[in-house]
Amino acid sequence: MPARGDFAVMGRSPRRDLLAGLTVAIVALPLALGFGVSSGLGAEAGLATAVVAGALAALFGGSNLQVSGPTGAMTVVLVPIVAQYGPGGVLTVGLMAGVLLIALALMKAGQYMRYVPAPVVEGFTLGIACVIGLQQIPNALGVAKPDGEKVLAVAWRAVVEFARAPNWTAIALSLGVAAVMLLGARWRPTVPFSIVAVIAATAIAQVFHLDAAAPIGELPSGLPAPSLAFLDLSVLGSLLAPAVAVAALAALESLLSATVADGMTVGQKHDPDKELFGQGVANLAAPLFGGVPATAAIARTAVNVRTGASSRLAALTHAAVLAVIVFAAAPLVSKIPLAALAGVLLATAIRMVEVGSLRAMAKATRSDAVVLVLTAAATLVLDLVYAVIIGLVVAGALALKAVASQARMDQVDFRPDLPGEHGDEEHALLAEHIVAYRIDGPVFFAGAHRFLLELSEVADVKVVILRMSRITTMDATGALVLKDAVEKLNRRGIAVMTSGIRPGQRQALEAVGALDLLRYEGREYATTPEAIAGARKHLEQAGLLPRRHRPHRIRKAAR
């Protein structure tokens, strides 16, 4: 829950926070309208989300600088849900996602989101940008949105429809708005050119009576009364999977945005679990007012930080300004052409693509490049949830392969010229009868079987010494593989001595029964010299030493 310190910070720089909130509201208005339209629930749903979710996430969230509302990433997930379950299904999914987010917060799961690899984040950001751009094709071309769930197919049908009956007015407005935003951001980054371009496009459409530029349409002059009329308990089971996807996306995007905000400032640090709780409360409330699922918005949060925000007052002001617009300016907002909003989102999609970051990821390692491209392609062809899952699985597999490749098993050369090693006679003895291997790195399921093959191929020796002090980690698979190797060597009459088993390895070795095997006849030693002495003793007792290498007492007894 909000602490006293959260409110105390609001009084430090109220003027800066109020100005930052006003600026963010101006930037957020066309985005809220555009994402509402793109989701399939209409512009009013986007406004309701920005007002309700924006205020509650700011109040209950874990970041002082976060700005929440409808986002492009969430829109990508919602479009197929609308197509399959209708508007009521989307509102139900939002409600369920809110419950799941609160549960994640109570389980303190926020800290685990940091383990998502950067190539996965960059890949699905690139994929989202492509999907958002493709979603705007029908409105940008001024044609009715074709039926279908696959964004590539829908965009292609819209292009074919445009070719049959071109609407040059719509495409001119959308490209004009996008160009003003992109060029204006280079010229004057602090000016909110999105609202300037939208106002200009709306004025042109009204003055010149451009009937081909279809407007948003009538908007309610206020928020609807909270209601659960959309809730259908019979479909909750079928909506669980989409709700999990929405909750996962909301958690990931919100915590990523909060991390970006922390990096842009000095002395700010978000609470990940509290942020999940705030997003959960926001998503519980937004559907009651007809809003779509919400998440923190990186672009709006960045604007908030750059304009000097220092507390939650800025995000609350942003929500309050949008509420005033809903109540006082709904008739004016309803005249905004859909093509102009399409231009806003086209420019937003282009600005989401960080060419420098993509180039850096592609050049880092081949594995990073593969994960990035695969995640982006899966986002475009499948959907965002599958894309993230595929990206995480592939990244995890490649990481395991990289870690497993670090494990080595090297044969040790005993050098008599080094202090603490052995003399010429003993060196010859070791070279003839004993081989020692030093195992470095992790011995676990990803690469343990390599050791079994290497150990099993040992030949022309009587004793194998395994130096295990440099093993960094060992799991049950690694312990089983080691046990199998020892058993195979024993069956061939080769004794196995060990040295330097660390406490962390004993649990896995004991669980699979390998420790008893290694301790057989006292063959476990603390140090390598002790293991070598034990190997000599074993060979002497077995009568396997050449006559010239036996100790004097053994040669005398033989005579």
Side-chain angles (χ1 to χ4, degrees):
M1 300 299 289
R4 181 178 298 179
D6 297 332
F7 298 104
V9 177
M10 294 183 187
R12 294 179 183 174
S13 305
R15 291 182 59 185
R16 289 172 55 189
D17 287 333
L18 291 171
L19 180 60
L22 177 61
T23 304
V24 175
I26 293 172
V27 173
L29 176 60
L31 294 175
L33 295 170
F35 289 135
V37 172
S38 294
S39 70
L41 269 70
E44 61 272 19
L47 281 175
T49 305
V51 173
V52 177
L56 291 175
L59 189 62
F60 292 96
S63 171
N64 288 327
L65 306 173
Q66 196 90 279
V67 179
S68 299
T71 64
M74 190 62 75
T75 300
V76 172
V77 177
L78 296 180
V79 169
I81 300 175
V82 174
Q84 186 171 357
Y85 299 101
V90 171
L91 300 180
T92 304
V93 163
L95 199 69
M96 296 171 67
V99 175
L100 292 173
L101 285 168
I102 291 175
L104 287 174
L106 296 177
M107 291 188 294
K108 299 189 179 299
Q111 57 184 322
Y112 298 109
M113 292 296 173
R114 72 185 71 172
Y115 297 116
V116 178
V120 175
V121 175
E122 293 291 342
F124 81 67
T125 301
L126 174 61
I128 288 168
C130 295
V131 173
I132 292 173
L134 290 170
Q135 284 179 341
Q136 308 318 308
I137 297 298
N139 285 337
L141 299 179
V143 301
K145 183 179 179 181
D147 295 331
E149 295 182 16
K150 299 298 181 182
V151 65
L152 285 169
V154 171
W156 174 250
R157 291 174 194 152
V159 171
V160 172
E161 187 65 27
F162 176 81
R164 293 174 183 164
N167 184 343
W168 300 111
T169 300
I171 196 170
L173 286 177
S174 60
L175 292 179
V177 168
V180 168
M181 287 182 61
L182 294 174
L183 296 176
R186 287 176 170 267
W187 178 51
R188 289 284 190 275
T190 58
V191 177
F193 280 98
S194 58
I195 196 69
V196 173
V198 168
I199 291 174
T202 305
I204 291 171
Q206 293 299 310
V207 170
F208 293 99
H209 304 287
L210 301 178
D211 296 333
I216 290 176
E218 186 177 354
L219 292 174
S221 56
L223 294 174
S227 171
L228 280 172
F230 62 85
L231 188 60
D232 183 0
L233 298 179
S234 63
V235 298
L236 292 183
S238 59
L239 291 175
L240 181 59
V244 171
V246 168
L249 176 59
L252 183 62
E253 191 171 13
S254 297
L255 295 178
L256 176 63
S257 175
T259 302
V260 171
D262 289 348
M264 295 175 65
T265 59
V266 177
Q268 293 283 356
K269 188 176 181 181
H270 72 282
D271 182 333
D273 297 317
K274 191 172 182 180
E275 181 61 29
L276 290 180
F277 180 78
Q279 295 297 331
V281 172
N283 280 284
L284 270 179
L288 305 181
F289 296 88
V292 296
T295 178
I298 295 178
R300 276 159 271 179
T301 299
V303 171
N304 194 39
V305 175
R306 291 193 186 110
T307 49
S310 61
S311 75
R312 301 164 191 265
L313 180 60
L316 290 170
T317 302
H318 138 270
V321 170
L322 291 178
V324 170
I325 293 173
V326 169
F327 284 98
L332 294 176
V333 173
S334 66
K335 298 182 184 300
I336 296 175
L338 289 172
L341 293 181
V344 171
L345 298 186
L346 283 172
T348 301
I350 293 172
R351 290 167 65 175
M352 286 176 66
V353 180
E354 296 285 347
V355 178
S357 297
L358 294 176
R359 187 182 292 116
M361 290 293 166
K363 290 182 177 180
T365 65
R366 184 177 297 177
S367 297
D368 289 334
V370 168
V371 172
L372 189 152
V373 172
L374 190 61
T375 305
T379 303
L380 191 59
V381 177
L382 302 174
D383 64 46
L384 187 62
V385 179
Y386 285 125
V388 172
I389 293 173
I390 290 172
L392 288 174
V393 170
V394 173
L398 293 174
L400 285 175
K401 180 181 177 182
V403 172
S405 66
Q406 295 176 2
R408 301 195 323 272
M409 188 173 68
D410 300 323
Q411 184 173 340
V412 180
D413 292 326
F414 293 97
R415 296 180 54 189
D417 57 315
L418 292 181
E421 294 292 350
H422 314 282
D424 293 337
E425 184 178 354
E426 193 169 16
H427 180 256
L429 172 67
L430 294 171
E432 186 171 351
H433 294 286
I434 303 171
V435 64
Y437 288 99
R438 183 180 62 229
I439 305 175
D440 293 337
V443 180
F444 69 127
F445 70 93
H449 292 280
R450 197 157 40 89
F451 296 115
L452 173 61
L453 293 175
E454 291 186 31
L455 282 174
S456 300
E457 292 172 358
V458 172
D460 299 327
V461 295
K462 307 301 182 184
V463 179
V464 169
I465 298 175
L466 298 179
R467 301 175 64 176
M468 302 173 63
S469 61
R470 296 191 183 183
I471 295 177
T472 56
T473 185
M474 178 181 288
D475 67 355
T477 304
L480 278 172
V481 167
L482 188 62
K483 178 184 176 183
D484 290 343
V486 173
E487 288 176 339
K488 287 188 176 183
L489 291 173
N490 288 343
R491 284 197 293 269
R492 291 170 51 195
I494 300 174
V496 179
M497 312 287 182
T498 62
S499 68
I501 297 179
R502 299 164 67 177
Q505 304 162 13
R506 292 187 178 276
Q507 182 176 355
L509 291 169
E510 190 167 12
V512 301
L515 197 58
D516 292 337
L517 188 63
L518 296 174
R519 286 171 173 169
Y520 175 69
E521 293 184 353
R523 294 177 181 177
E524 181 197 347
Y525 299 91
T527 65
T528 302
E530 292 176 358
I532 293 172
R536 291 193 62 201
K537 183 177 180 181
H538 169 77
L539 293 176
E540 290 172 7
Q541 292 175 346
L544 298 175
L545 289 180
R547 184 179 182 84
R548 66 181 181 278
H549 291 312
R550 295 186 188 182
H552 177 72
R553 66 178 185 275
I554 297 179
R555 292 199 300 268
K556 185 176 181 180
R559 288 198 299 269

